[in-house]
Amino acid sequence: MRIYLSVDMEGITGLVDADDVQPGGRDYERGRSMMAEEVNAAVRGALAAGATDILVNDAHGPMRNLLPEALHPAARLVRGKPKQMGMLEGLGPEYDAALCVGYHSRAGALGVLSHSFMGHEIEDIWLDGRPVGEIGLAHATAAALGVPVAALTGDDAACAEMTAWDASVVTVPVKYAHDRFAARLRPAAEARKAIEEGVARALTQRPALPPAPAAEATLAVRWQSASVASTLLGIPGVTADDSRTVRVSGDLPSLYRLFGVWMRVAASLTNQPPYC
C-alpha cells in the first residue's frame, strides 16, 4: 500500500498566529517541530494500516519547514520549491490514498489562519462555480489523478470544509477555532494519538475513489489586485469575468499546475510569495 501525505502548517495544533508558521517568526522553530510530530503520527498510523511506501510533501510556504532528520525514517520527503504541482508534488495514480495533514479552511471562512494559497492576495476561488480553497482543490485534483483522499487533519473549520466536499473522508480536528487567530487547542499528545488512530482507521477501511470529475473543469480566481488579473490575460485560454476575476478551463491536473503558474506571476507583481 503506497500512501501520499501532503502537509501544511496552519492546521497543526498549538499554532494560531503568523509568528507560529512563518520563517523568522518568534515561534516558528517550535511550530515546525510540532508540524513534524503530527506528520510522524500520520506516518505511524499509515504503517499500522499496512503502508509499505510513504511519500511526504512539505506543502507549506517555503516548503522547507520539515527537517529531514525529524521525519519518521519510514517516510521519504519532497522538500523545497518551485514545484510544478505545489502542494500535490509527486502525487500520481500509483498511490492508493492521500492524506492531508495540518490543512486550514479557505479564504473568508472563520477558521484558524484561514486563507487560500496567497494570504490576502486571493479573495475567492471557484471550481465549476463552487467556492473552493486548498482543501477542495486538492481533493478534486487527487480524484482526477485516481487517488482518494482518506484523511484530513486541521482545525474544526477545515474538517467541516472537507466533510462538505466528501463525507467519507476521515477528519481529525486538532483545535477549535474561536476566531482567525485564536483557538481552543487539543493537548499535543492527545492530538497526535487521534491523528495516528484516525489515519489507521481511514486506511484500514480502504477509501473508495469518489466519482471521476468531468473531463473539463473551470477554475476562476478573484484577486485583490486588478494588475494581477490583467497580466494573467496574457496566458492563452485565460478570460476575464471582471477587472479582478479570471477563469480558465481544462482537465484538473493541468488546471492545478497552471494555477501554480498564476501564483508565481502574482508573487512577482505583488512581492507576496505563495503562502499555502
Side-chain angles (χ1 to χ4, degrees):
M1 181 166 59
R2 303 189 67 182
I3 303 301
Y4 178 88
L5 196 160
S6 173
V7 55
D8 207 348
M9 199 168 183
E10 292 88 352
I12 302 298
T13 193
L15 312 187
V16 297
D17 186 85
D19 272 342
D20 297 328
V21 300
Q22 292 182 359
R26 58 188 170 183
D27 289 323
Y28 170 72
E29 291 301 324
R30 171 180 163 274
R32 74 196 304 197
S33 174
M34 296 187 72
M35 179 187 189
E37 291 292 345
E38 293 197 8
V39 171
N40 289 341
V43 170
R44 291 193 299 272
L47 292 171
T52 55
D53 181 57
I54 302 170
L55 180 67
V56 174
N57 179 29
D58 188 332
H60 173 73
M63 300 184 177
R64 295 177 57 249
N65 310 284
L66 289 172
L67 296 173
E69 63 270 24
L71 188 65
H72 194 293
R76 296 174 292 119
L77 177 63
V78 179
R79 188 172 189 259
K81 63 191 307 184
K83 297 170 178 169
Q84 292 183 353
M85 288 296 285
M87 298 180 76
L88 297 180
E89 183 74 11
L91 179 62
E94 67 273 19
Y95 287 94
D96 297 291
L99 309 173
C100 296
V101 172
Y103 269 57
H104 56 83
S105 55
R106 66 184 184 86
L110 193 61
V112 179
L113 294 165
S114 60
H115 66 279
S116 295
F117 294 99
M118 287 195 72
H120 299 295
E121 184 53 43
I122 292 177
E123 290 191 357
D124 282 297
I125 304 175
W126 298 268
L127 182 63
D128 289 334
R130 183 177 182 181
V132 68
E134 296 170 30
I135 290 171
L137 204 52
H139 181 279
T141 304
L145 288 167
V147 183
V149 175
L152 173 137
T153 77
D155 74 341
D156 58 326
C159 291
E161 190 170 315
M162 177 56 90
T163 298
W165 273 91
D166 184 349
S168 72
V169 176
V170 172
T171 59
V172 181
V174 298
K175 54 190 172 187
Y176 301 86
H178 283 206
D179 211 297
R180 195 167 180 229
F181 303 104
R184 174 171 58 85
L185 311 175
R186 288 185 80 169
E190 177 185 307
R192 293 163 191 162
K193 184 172 186 290
I195 291 170
E196 184 174 345
E197 292 175 349
V199 167
R201 183 172 72 256
L203 295 178
T204 300
Q205 359 184 108
R206 292 286 177 164
L209 185 66
E216 183 172 274
T218 298
L219 181 70
V221 180
R222 174 178 284 270
W223 303 88
Q224 181 72 26
S225 167
S227 177
V228 171
S230 176
T231 302
L232 292 176
L233 292 176
I235 299 175
V238 178
T239 60
D241 287 357
D242 55 48
S243 64
R244 292 189 291 120
T245 308
V246 295
R247 68 175 54 234
V248 70
S249 296
D251 67 275
L252 250 178
S254 297
L255 287 183
Y256 196 93
R257 180 174 175 175
L258 178 60
F259 178 62
V261 175
W262 287 10
M263 287 194 289
R264 288 192 285 278
V265 171
S268 70
L269 293 172
T270 63
N271 197 33
Q272 181 189 167
Y275 187 53
C276 304

